[in-house]
């Protein structure tokens, strides 16, 4: 057997999940419709926002464009945050987790692979969000797309660290992914998903700096709404790199610990 | 691969599940299964059979003792997994939205069986296990018996040195269980260096194929040897068939009757 076959197994896992997803065709249609409705709802809500509230000015003052970026990337970041735990829970419920744990490929690799298709799909949805926004007049014409892609990918890596910790929580507690719940809620409230963090009271603004989402969304808005250069994006990129350097190793270690614990308790497949 | 006289060698393997109170599932057990041998583990529910199989398959960590499977220590889990074929839960271990071929393609890839090598092996398995009628159907639409055969195909696809089969005939009817055991017998003939350790309650189905029985009860290995020899050692009356011998041993050592289950 080859020294390791992680690459081919990641591909096989991705391919498997695409084929499974293709058997649920109605889900594709419904998710597209939900994206469409969400964008339209925020388009009309934005009509209520007049003037240029604090925090919007530096992105051009358009609330619809501001919210669009938050909506478009929140789903992508949520996949990085919850996808690993979801993959474990689904495999536990289907009964396939133990069968995969019996393979010579490390289970960590298969769990990582199981998030590739959901991530790519969410990436596609993000593009759909942005295109719908563009069609409704969001000022994205001068966007630095490559800069936005780099910010999004780096943010996804950093948030994946939290996602791996969430997966560990699921392996230990089976239900109640506290890590994902806290981060998802905090990202919605503090990170500038729906409104600028500048509107928050001072202490909460400081708390928002503990989330990679805050730097990711700031960088993405700079890149997409103001066409900021890579040099201008550097503060966001460096912050996200720092998050990634801390969170990813912590996530990997926590997952290894949780898998070892499941091997001792014999409850890997329980949910 | 390392040459080794025993495909499975277990020394003092023990397991207690942590909890309140802790549950001692396996008291120290020792045994060996040689190359080319098929051994059956018998015991009532809760005897520790599944715990033993899970430890040998590296799914579970023992508290004490050592084991070597296919020449490798359990600590070398990747090496062990590459050389074993396992059935734990034939009914619920596949991706139900995919068909049999797609499922096998995924699992076989972990053993570097891809492309034409996979197709060739699949053709062999389809013929040997009679999968042709359903291999392209979604697993969710298959019967338990068909899923059982698919599970065996998965366990055999990489030509493992050791097969660990925990109640593989659980959901099979008597005829299917007999056919299943015949397939295992055929595999041993084709792969004389392979070994099979299986557990079952279907004594009638396994009796023609096994020369060795291990009887577990309450986590303790109570007997280990050829059924006829164990009958003599226990001072039990001779029986006409091996099925009856196994049933008698089961009742003697576990204190519970078993239905022969063909």
């Amino acid at each position: 057997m080859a020294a390791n076959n992680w690459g081919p197994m990641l591909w096989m896992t991705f391919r498997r999940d695409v084929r499974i997803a293709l058997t649920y065709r109605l889900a594709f249609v419904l998710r597209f419709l939900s994206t469409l409705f969400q964008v339209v709802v925020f388009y009309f809500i934005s009509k209520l926002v007049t003037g240029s509230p604090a925090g919007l000015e530096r992105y051009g003052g358009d609330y619809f464009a501001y919210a669009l970026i938050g909506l478009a990337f929140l789903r992508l970041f949520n996949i990085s945050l919850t996808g690993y735990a979801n993959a474990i829970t689904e495999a536990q419920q289907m009964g396939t987790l133990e069968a995969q744990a019996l393979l010579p490929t490390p289970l960590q690799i298969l769990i990582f692979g199981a998030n590739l298709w959901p991530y790519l799909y969410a990436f596609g949805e993000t593009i759909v969000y942005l295109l719908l926004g563009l069609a409704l007049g969001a000022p994205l014409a001068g966007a630095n797309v490559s800069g936005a892609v780099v910010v999004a990918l780096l943010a996804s890596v950093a948030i994946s660290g939290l996602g791996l910790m969430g997966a560990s929580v699921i392996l230990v507690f089976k239900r109640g992914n506290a890590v994902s719940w806290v981060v998802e809620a905090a990202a919605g409230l503090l990170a500038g998903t729906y409104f600028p963090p500048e509107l928050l009271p001072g202490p909460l603004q400081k708390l928002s700096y503990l989330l990679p989402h805050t730097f990711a969304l700031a960088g993405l808005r700079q890149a997409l709404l103001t066409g900021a250069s890579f040099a201008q994006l550097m503060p966001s990129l460096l912050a996200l790199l720092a998050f990634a350097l801390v969170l990813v190793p912590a996530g990997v270690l926590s997952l290894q610990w949780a898998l070892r614990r499941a091997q001792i308790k014999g409850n890997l497949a329980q949910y | 691969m390392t040459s080794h006289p025993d495909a499975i060698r277990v020394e003092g393997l023990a397991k207690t599940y942590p909890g309140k109170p802790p549950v001692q599932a396996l008291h120290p057990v020792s045994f060996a299964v040689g190359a080319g041998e098929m051994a059956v583990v018998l015991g009532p529910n809760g005897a520790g059979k599944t715990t033993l199989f899970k430890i040998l398959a590296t799914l579970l960590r023992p508290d004490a003792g050592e084991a070597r499977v296919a020449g490798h220590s359990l600590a070398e889990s990747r090496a062990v997994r590459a050389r074993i074929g396992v059935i734990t839960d034939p009914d619920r271990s596949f991706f139900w939205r995919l068909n049999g071929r797609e499922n096998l393609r995924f699992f076989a890839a972990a053993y570097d069986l891809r492309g034409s090598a996979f197709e060739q092996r699949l053709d062999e398995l389809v013929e040997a296990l009679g999968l042709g009628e359903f291999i392209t159907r979604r697993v969710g639409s298959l019967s338990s018996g068909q899923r059982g055969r698919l599970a065996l195909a998965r366990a055999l696809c990489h030509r493992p040195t050791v097969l660990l089969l925990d109640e593989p005939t659980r959901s099979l009817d008597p005829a299917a269980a007999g056919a299943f055991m015949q397939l295992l017998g055929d595999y041993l003939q084709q792969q004389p260096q392979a070994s099979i350790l299986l557990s079952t309650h279907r004594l009638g189905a396994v009796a023609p194929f096994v020369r060795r029985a291990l009887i577990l009860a309450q986590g303790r290995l109570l007997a280990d040897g050829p059924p006829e020899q164990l009958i003599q050692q226990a001072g039990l009356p001779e029986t006409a068939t091996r099925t009856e011998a196994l049933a008698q041993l089961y009742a003697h050592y576990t204190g519970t009757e078993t239905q022969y289950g063909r």
Side-chain angles (χ1 to χ4, degrees):
Chain A
M1 216 176 99
N4 76 55
N5 59 359
W6 297 2
M9 278 313 285
L10 287 176
W11 165 244
M12 289 303 292
T13 309
F14 174 77
R15 178 178 156 153
R16 174 200 73 195
D17 292 338
V18 170
R19 295 192 73 86
I20 291 173
L22 288 174
T23 68
Y24 295 103
R25 292 195 183 99
L26 182 61
F28 282 102
V29 177
L30 294 178
R31 279 189 66 157
F32 174 77
L33 287 176
S34 87
T35 303
L36 178 66
F37 286 141
Q38 209 176 17
V39 171
V40 171
V41 164
F42 270 85
Y43 172 75
F44 286 110
I45 287 175
S46 73
K47 301 287 181 198
L48 299 172
V49 181
T50 53
S52 193
L56 281 189
E57 261 176 20
R58 57 194 162 114
Y59 303 121
D62 179 3
Y63 178 67
F64 175 58
Y66 183 92
L68 178 73
I69 306 297
L71 291 173
F73 287 92
L74 183 65
R75 202 175 273 189
L76 183 71
F77 295 156
N78 277 350
I79 289 291
S80 299
L81 182 65
T82 61
Y84 303 107
N86 290 345
I88 289 172
T89 302
E90 194 177 322
Q92 285 173 326
Q93 290 174 343
M94 284 179 11
T96 54
L97 189 64
E98 210 164 76
Q100 294 180 79
L102 286 164
L103 297 174
T105 309
L107 190 56
Q108 295 93 316
I109 297 299
L110 298 175
I111 292 169
F112 178 75
N115 209 24
L116 290 177
W117 163 245
Y119 183 81
L120 194 75
Y121 186 74
F123 207 97
E125 283 186 319
T126 300
I127 293 169
V128 170
Y129 266 109
L130 296 176
L131 291 176
L132 287 171
L134 193 62
L136 289 170
L140 299 169
N144 174 1
V145 175
S146 55
V149 169
V150 173
V151 172
L153 290 178
L154 195 51
S156 300
V157 172
I159 296 167
S160 285
L162 293 166
L164 293 172
M165 290 181 212
S168 315
V169 171
I170 280 297
L171 279 171
V172 173
F173 295 104
K174 308 302 175 191
R175 288 196 185 182
N177 186 345
V179 173
S180 298
W181 187 88
V182 168
V183 174
E184 208 173 330
L189 179 68
L190 306 175
T193 304
Y194 304 105
F195 56 86
E198 284 84 347
L199 297 179
L200 293 165
L204 288 181
Q205 279 188 45
K206 284 179 185 154
L207 269 182
S208 74
Y209 296 127
L210 295 175
L211 291 165
H213 300 67
T214 307
F215 298 92
L217 290 172
L220 286 164
R221 288 189 175 109
Q222 277 182 289
L224 291 170
L225 301 180
T226 70
S229 66
F230 273 101
Q232 290 169 311
L233 294 175
M234 205 45 76
S236 294
L237 290 172
L238 288 175
L240 291 171
L241 184 65
F243 273 111
L245 289 174
V246 173
L247 294 176
V248 172
V252 170
L253 287 174
S254 73
L255 185 61
Q256 281 175 344
W257 172 81
L259 286 170
R260 212 167 31 245
R261 185 177 183 277
Q263 273 190 317
I264 292 168
K265 295 193 79 141
N267 63 1
L268 179 67
Q270 291 171 15
Y271 59 93
Chain B
M1 199 169 71
T2 319
S3 103
H4 51 94
D6 294 319
I8 302 171
R9 172 160 287 282
V10 171
E11 287 172 14
L13 216 53
K15 177 68 186 175
T16 298
Y17 291 106
K20 293 175 184 172
V23 177
Q24 187 155 14
L26 209 55
H27 294 265
V29 295
S30 302
F31 65 90
V33 179
E37 197 172 13
M38 189 190 307
V40 62
V41 181
L42 301 175
N45 294 336
K49 302 187 297 293
T50 297
T51 297
L52 174 64
F53 277 85
K54 285 191 172 181
I55 290 173
L56 296 178
T58 74
L59 282 176
L60 193 59
R61 289 189 182 214
D63 303 325
E66 289 178 9
R68 293 184 77 79
V69 177
H72 292 273
S73 144
L74 294 180
E76 303 168 276
S77 58
R78 272 195 76 199
V80 171
R81 288 174 194 168
R83 289 163 178 79
I84 59 175
V86 183
I87 295 180
T88 50
D89 186 351
D91 253 3
R92 287 186 67 254
S93 59
F94 288 103
F95 301 98
W96 280 33
R97 301 289 290 188
L98 301 181
N99 66 34
R101 174 186 289 269
E102 290 166 330
N103 267 282
L104 291 182
R105 181 181 285 124
F106 171 77
F107 288 105
Y111 303 96
D112 288 341
L113 262 180
R114 291 187 290 274
S116 58
F118 167 72
E119 294 298 337
Q120 192 182 338
R121 183 62 179 145
L122 183 65
D123 287 345
E124 292 169 8
L125 291 167
V126 164
E127 192 181 335
L129 306 183
L131 309 177
E133 57 186 287
F134 59 82
I135 190 74
T136 52
R137 277 172 45 198
R138 272 191 194 170
V139 169
S141 71
L142 302 182
S143 68
S144 289
Q146 289 168 330
R147 280 197 285 269
R149 274 193 276 169
L150 198 61
L152 182 59
R154 178 175 59 193
L156 298 181
C157 73
H158 54 296
R159 295 186 178 84
T161 315
V162 172
L163 278 170
L164 300 168
L165 312 176
D166 187 15
E167 296 196 38
T169 56
R170 178 171 35 200
S171 53
L172 304 183
D173 62 44
F180 186 94
M181 288 305 301
Q182 184 61 53
L183 292 169
L184 293 182
D186 293 346
Y187 184 71
L188 270 192
Q189 283 199 330
Q190 291 158 14
Q191 308 273 335
Q193 289 305 303
S195 304
I196 300 175
L197 184 68
L198 80 153
S199 70
T200 186
H201 294 289
R202 292 187 176 278
L203 306 186
V206 298
F209 300 94
V210 297
R211 303 283 178 274
R212 169 101 176 276
L214 295 94
I215 300 178
L216 268 179
Q218 295 181 325
R220 291 184 166 83
L221 182 60
L222 303 177
D224 173 12
E228 294 76 9
Q229 188 183 314
L230 292 177
I231 288 277
Q232 280 187 350
Q233 284 174 359
L236 296 168
E238 280 189 24
T239 56
T241 66
R242 189 178 291 133
T243 305
E244 288 169 357
L246 289 173
Q248 205 171 87
L249 287 168
Y250 187 100
H252 175 74
Y253 282 106
T254 68
T256 56
E257 294 294 328
T258 179
Q259 296 198 345
Y260 288 5
R262 278 196 56 228

